[in-house]
Amino acid sequence: MSTHHREHRLLANAAAEQIARASGVVRHDIALTLGSGWAQAAGELGETLAVMPAHEIAGFRKPVLEGHSGEIRSVRLASGKHLLVIGARTHLYEGHGVAAVAHGVRTAAAAGVSTMILTNAAGSLRREWKPGTAVLIRDHINLTGQSSIEGATFIDMSEAYSRRLRELVLEVSPDIPEGVYVQFRGPQYETPAEVKMAGIMGGDLVGMSTTLETIAAREAGIEVLGISLATNLAAGVSAEPLSHEEVVAAGQAALPQLVELLRGVLDRL
Ligand code: 8IG
């Protein structure tokens, strides 16, 4: 194992220890990363045992985005399982590197998590997915040109987004559409030509997160469920220009359905 590897692991272990100390929960079962628009769901999933400002936990930073809570929360679910809610995500476009991006997942792994739910807000290539539509991520295309792992680590990605977990979501929400999420580095939104390219490649959603976290989770042996909230039609799909305010507003309007979906899934895990 490389020195880098060991440093990342040590930082994640330190963070997990802080979380265990603050919450009194030695091992968490499930982690949930909340993307833009999903933050408000955090308090509605079970009994909160502890809330911590993420920047007080090793390796996390203050969120730069409206729509991210910047909190890490330990929640006891009705089932008795322990959920770690990560309301702080570092994006590749912030420029802190891939290790910062993967830190939430590595912390979840160090906290004992075996299932990771990654949520995000995304642009949609499908006109029929109106702003506020939740979409199950079936697969991804990583266009960042980067990976969150290093070395001769040949992780199998043939079912990166667990079929078992997707089927479970379909039990809760039979009409939820499925799509392929394409991650661009950002921070600029795509040009219409780039969106068209993503579509030709087989993409349905465009965003700036998730794929590098999924890779880190698969490396750690964690089962991944990905859910996007389609908050805008991608550039060129609609005549409207893109705005972050639109994203936040669509998230707010969709919140009750998102909470219901998450609760349904968490109940079955
Ligand atoms: I919300 O249209 C949201 N995030 N790359 N493109 C990219 N990221 C996004 C978009 C979008 N909408």
Side-chain angles (χ1 to χ4, degrees):
M1 197 188 286
S2 74
T3 331
H4 275 131
H5 245 96
R6 212 163 339 201
E7 277 169 25
H8 303 158
R9 209 66 60 85
L10 281 173
L11 193 59
N13 283 342
E17 245 168 66
Q18 280 179 283
I19 292 166
R21 214 172 314 121
S23 63
V25 177
V26 179
R27 283 182 74 83
H28 285 78
D29 304 290
I30 306 159
L32 167 65
T33 296
L34 294 174
S36 300
W38 294 76
Q40 303 298 323
E44 308 203 29
L45 304 172
E47 180 196 351
T48 295
L49 301 182
V51 189
M52 301 145 261
H55 65 269
E56 289 179 9
I57 308 290
F60 287 90
R61 19 183 101 250
K62 281 212 165 95
V64 295
L65 274 189
E66 187 192 343
H68 287 253
S69 74
E71 290 170 350
I72 291 179
R73 184 184 291 254
S74 177
V75 172
R76 181 166 39 218
L77 300 174
S79 62
K81 290 201 167 158
H82 291 284
L83 172 70
L84 185 64
V85 183
I86 304 172
R89 167 181 261 154
T90 301
H91 295 83
L92 190 61
Y93 61 68
E94 292 173 51
H96 304 299
V98 290
V101 172
H103 181 63
V105 170
R106 296 210 168 103
T107 297
V113 160
S114 58
T115 304
M116 181 105 213
I117 306 177
L118 296 170
T119 67
N120 61 50
S124 168
L125 273 69
R126 302 225 185 194
R127 233 173 260 285
E128 68 271 25
W129 297 347
K130 298 290 175 223
T133 305
V135 181
L136 196 48
I137 301 177
R138 178 164 49 80
D139 203 347
H140 80 216
I141 299 174
N142 170 13
L143 290 187
T144 66
Q146 300 208 52
S147 175
S148 47
I149 59 180
E150 288 168 358
T153 330
F154 306 117
I155 302 299
D156 175 33
M157 294 292 285
S158 56
E159 202 190 288
Y161 298 87
S162 158
R163 176 175 298 277
R164 183 183 82 86
L165 296 178
R166 280 184 282 131
E167 282 173 357
L168 204 139
V169 170
L170 286 165
E171 276 177 31
V172 176
S173 180
D175 297 327
I176 192 170
E178 278 190 89
V180 173
Y181 178 93
V182 182
Q183 181 176 358
F184 285 82
R185 179 191 181 276
Q188 74 285 356
Y189 291 122
E190 296 71 34
T191 63
E194 288 164 343
V195 169
K196 188 173 176 191
M197 174 189 77
I200 291 168
M201 286 175 156
D204 303 292
L205 298 159
V206 286
M208 305 179 196
S209 69
T210 306
T211 76
L212 298 174
E213 291 153 86
T214 295
I215 294 166
R218 295 309 297 143
E219 180 193 36
I222 294 175
E223 210 177 352
V224 177
L225 172 63
I227 311 173
S228 287
L229 177 66
T231 52
N232 60 278
L233 293 178
V237 177
S238 141
E240 298 293 308
L242 275 55
S243 81
H244 185 62
E245 289 67 40
E246 165 190 38
V247 169
V248 173
Q252 246 152 28
L255 190 71
Q257 291 122 274
L258 300 182
V259 168
E260 195 182 304
L261 178 63
L262 289 174
R263 290 181 77 117
V265 173
L266 291 166
D267 272 350
R268 284 168 173 78
L269 285 174

